[in-house]
Amino acid sequence: MKQQGKLILKASMIAVLCAAAGLASNANAAKTLVFCSEGSPEGFNPQFFSTGTTMDASSVPMFNRLVEFDIGTTNIVPGLAESWVIAPDGLSYTFTLRKGVKFHSSAKFKPSRDMNADDIVFSYNRMANPKHPFYKNTPGTTYAYFEDMGMNKIVDKIEKVDAMTVRFKLLHPEAPFMANLAMDFNSIQSAEYADKMKAAGTPEVIDREPIGTGPFQFVSYQKDAVIRYKAFDQHWGGRPKIDNLIYAITPDASVRYAKLKAGECHVMAFPKPADIALMKADPALTMLTKEGLNIGYIAFNVEKKPFDNKLVRQALTMAVDKQTILKTVFQGSGQAAKNPIPPMLWSYNDKITDYPYDVAKAKALLTKAGYPNGAEVDLWYLPVSRPYNPDGKRMAELIQADWAKVGVKARLVTYEWGEYRKRSKTGEQQAMMFGWSGDNGDPDNFFGPLLGCDAVAGGGNVARWCNKDFEAQLQKAKATSVQAERAKFYQRAQEIAHEEAPLIEIAHSVRFTPVRKEVIGFKMDATAHHYFNKVDMAK
């Protein structure tokens, strides 16, 4: 970066920091942490979305769920529910709510009561009931993760037992149900806020200006630039130790690194593999690392030619040189993938043999499929760094060159992250680069959202592949409580997915998070989320 660019960068960040400092009552004493995030959120209502970028900016700082994951693990701990009882038949879950939980306030809304059962019922039914008055509150949105997980086929209804007790009644036993409740899309919103905004004639405000119970409350958002939060003094889990939290939205990993080195941000998302060694050697930084619960892949839209043909999908899978991608893009921070779930997850089927890199066989399969002269296709590539893919454009260029060797011409396409997700949900893509970081430590959280039939409508299944045999294995697994028996169904599902090849599984990556030494107590999460509610700053 040229010196002039550094000065401009520093000036802009100084302005951001000064503005943030003004949020606290005593600017000199305020502790402000700046997080260099990798992209802009799609919105601030976590019910609508499924990407880590958006959840990092919405559910993580501003909302809570009935149960949550202990940071750094997928162990379920109490959240807004302090205790629960599961019926012996597995068909009902009764939650006793935590007393004294406060909601945030804003210029438009001052809560008159604490969180209670009405908020739980409102939050769930808004997603589950198409006749609910807030179901279509924000045009153009869907309850993506709720639909991807097939929650309507799991839960029969939710009941308010009394002011501080709710009960979920299930249609059938569901082994991963508690883990599902801890996920971002099940964040609890304020029913009172919704009612007041509807009475004011502005119901859409609740999805744009979030009110939650989380450790930080929303202050402002400058699109594609910065999000500001402040500590919530009345948070039920204790006030955060930092006063102001800023997300400096910085899509370019090199620029994020420059800001981190200059002290203009304190924690950085998703560094380039090429920069890891330099970061480790920097005395001002601490490099945290964690095995990635993730998968990066190319999805073939099976609803569009030529990818409606299994032989074409298999051929283009064989045409990709994964080892070159691992060396060039991941640079030692990834391992080749052959299944939709990472090897660290129980039920991983290691008996499956990956498709070999074989140009001659790929050409032969294309000829057999009716494409002896190849084809022309669009390949969408990621516009942001993700834990499962540090450099989408470079990966796309390598795949483009690989496919050209078998006569397939790939036109590279990308969009801003929010637009990328919006278009893919409706199936506009042919082949697209995507990936997944697990949210709850259960294999179902990969198979269902990525390849399940419900996830076609929800938008997570960007391959738009709905296979009845695969789906049957998932449903049998979810209805089985014994893990060893569940694993058998998931292992068979992996065999079906391997044969049908709706995805090219590229890599599972190791995750790195560089943190400045003045940051105290930051822990990497088991997922790709970034939590700051337990973090402090050295003076």
Side-chain angles (χ1 to χ4, degrees):
M1 183 181 291
K2 294 181 180 179
Q3 186 64 29
Q4 182 182 9
K6 286 185 178 179
L7 291 173
I8 293 172
L9 179 63
K10 287 185 177 180
S12 64
M13 286 306 298
I14 287 170
V16 169
L17 289 168
C18 288
L23 296 174
S25 59
N26 185 339
N28 293 326
K31 293 181 180 179
T32 297
L33 185 144
V34 181
F35 170 51
C36 275
S37 65
E38 80 288 2
S40 300
E42 299 154 271
F44 290 103
N45 181 350
Q47 294 180 327
F48 295 151
F49 309 106
S50 61
T51 65
T53 302
T54 297
M55 297 312 174
D56 252 355
S58 59
S59 65
V60 171
M62 296 187 291
F63 290 93
N64 292 112
R65 290 140 294 283
L66 282 172
V67 292
E68 303 191 339
F69 298 115
D70 192 19
I71 298 174
T73 76
T74 53
N75 298 329
I76 294 171
V77 296
L80 297 182
E82 61 183 9
S83 63
W84 52 89
V85 176
I86 305 172
D89 62 4
L91 292 177
S92 74
Y93 290 67
T94 304
F95 295 88
T96 299
L97 303 182
R98 190 180 299 274
K99 295 179 181 178
V101 174
K102 310 295 182 184
F103 277 103
H104 304 159
S105 62
S106 69
K108 295 185 176 74
F109 173 70
K110 307 295 180 188
S112 66
R113 61 167 177 80
D114 294 345
M115 180 273 302
N116 65 29
D118 292 331
D119 302 305
I120 314 301
V121 173
F122 166 80
S123 299
Y124 182 82
N125 281 341
R126 182 185 174 183
M127 298 184 286
N129 182 5
K131 295 181 180 179
H132 191 278
F134 284 86
Y135 183 81
K136 296 181 179 180
N137 191 55
T138 298
T141 57
T142 62
Y143 298 97
Y145 220 147
F146 183 93
E147 294 173 9
D148 287 351
M149 298 292 286
M151 291 295 288
N152 264 344
K153 297 178 181 178
I154 298 170
V155 178
D156 180 23
K157 61 181 177 179
I158 180 174
E159 299 175 331
K160 174 184 176 180
V161 178
D162 58 43
M164 299 305 291
T165 312
V166 295
R167 179 177 295 125
F168 286 86
K169 291 195 171 181
L170 274 55
L171 293 166
H172 56 77
E174 180 76 6
F177 183 66
M178 286 292 288
N180 292 351
L181 289 183
M183 292 165 61
D184 300 278
F185 73 96
N186 277 314
S187 293
I188 302 304
Q189 302 180 350
S190 167
E192 184 186 20
Y193 181 38
D195 289 342
K196 289 195 174 182
M197 292 304 99
K198 184 178 180 182
T202 56
E204 71 284 351
V205 166
I206 69 169
D207 296 325
R208 191 173 63 242
E209 300 175 21
I211 292 289
T213 61
F216 295 95
Q217 60 186 96
F218 181 76
V219 175
S220 65
Y221 172 45
Q222 183 181 347
K223 184 173 172 55
D224 300 331
V226 63
I227 314 170
R228 296 185 178 90
Y229 312 87
K230 64 180 179 180
F232 182 39
D233 294 336
Q234 296 176 294
H235 184 240
W236 58 269
R239 184 192 190 278
K241 296 176 182 177
I242 58 174
D243 302 292
N244 306 308
L245 176 62
I246 294 175
Y247 283 27
I249 299 167
T250 315
D252 189 307
S254 296
V255 178
R256 291 200 297 277
Y257 184 22
K259 290 181 179 181
L260 187 72
K261 286 195 294 185
E264 293 163 1
C265 65
H266 304 99
V267 180
M268 171 188 167
F270 315 132
K272 281 184 177 180
D275 293 332
I276 298 298
L278 289 172
M279 291 178 173
K280 287 181 176 179
D282 190 335
L285 303 179
T286 299
M287 178 60 75
L288 304 179
T289 183
K290 202 173 187 70
E291 187 176 5
L293 188 68
N294 59 41
I295 172 72
Y297 58 84
I298 304 296
F300 298 119
N301 185 345
V302 301
E303 295 178 347
K304 291 191 174 182
K305 291 184 179 298
F307 304 122
D308 58 339
N309 189 317
K310 178 177 74 175
L311 296 180
V312 173
R313 302 195 298 267
Q314 291 177 337
L316 291 188
T317 300
M318 290 183 182
V320 172
D321 184 356
K322 291 184 186 178
Q323 291 306 315
T324 296
I325 290 175
L326 286 169
K327 292 176 184 177
T328 306
V329 177
F330 291 87
Q331 300 184 32
S333 65
Q335 66 181 105
K338 62 181 182 180
N339 291 318
I341 64 173
M344 65 187 290
L345 207 55
W346 62 269
S347 81
Y348 182 81
N349 191 340
D350 202 28
K351 293 180 180 179
I352 288 174
T353 301
D354 197 9
Y355 286 96
Y357 172 52
D358 192 326
V359 173
K361 192 169 182 179
K363 285 182 177 180
L365 279 177
L366 285 172
T367 299
K368 186 177 179 180
Y371 295 92
N373 300 316
E376 293 186 7
V377 302
D378 287 347
L379 173 59
W380 291 17
Y381 67 88
L382 286 169
V384 295
S385 301
R386 300 302 300 141
Y388 45 74
N389 187 341
D391 192 339
K393 184 178 182 181
R394 184 67 182 122
M395 184 186 289
E397 291 168 345
L398 292 171
I399 293 173
Q400 182 186 47
D402 286 342
W403 285 357
K405 295 173 186 175
V406 298
V408 173
K409 296 179 181 179
R411 184 174 77 96
L412 301 187
V413 178
T414 196
Y415 301 95
E416 179 274 327
W417 180 235
E419 189 69 15
Y420 190 86
R421 286 294 294 126
K422 181 180 178 181
R423 289 172 180 259
S424 68
K425 287 179 181 179
T426 59
E428 185 177 316
Q429 69 280 7
Q430 277 189 296
M432 74 175 291
M433 190 179 294
F434 208 50
W436 191 254
S437 293
D439 288 318
N440 66 15
D442 194 286
D444 178 68
N445 183 237
F446 281 80
F447 294 120
L450 303 189
L451 292 170
C453 292
D454 288 319
V456 175
N461 183 347
V462 294
R464 305 185 74 80
W465 178 74
C466 177
N467 180 283
K468 64 178 182 180
D469 294 331
F470 179 88
E471 188 71 21
Q473 301 303 313
L474 301 194
Q475 297 307 320
K476 290 175 183 176
K478 292 200 296 178
T480 303
S481 59
V482 180
Q483 188 177 102
E485 294 301 313
R486 290 184 71 201
K488 292 177 183 178
F489 295 122
Y490 288 136
Q491 287 164 355
R492 175 58 186 147
Q494 289 165 78
E495 293 170 359
I496 296 168
H498 179 75
E499 171 64 23
E500 292 295 318
L503 311 177
I504 306 177
E505 293 101 346
I506 301 292
H508 311 288
S509 72
V510 175
R511 292 190 292 117
F512 296 93
T513 302
V515 180
R516 289 193 62 84
K517 288 284 178 68
E518 54 264 36
V519 176
I520 301 168
F522 178 83
K523 290 174 64 176
M524 289 186 73
D525 188 46
T527 68
H529 292 342
H530 296 83
Y531 288 89
F532 299 105
N533 54 308
K534 302 296 184 183
V535 171
D536 200 355
M537 299 282 288
K539 292 183 179 179

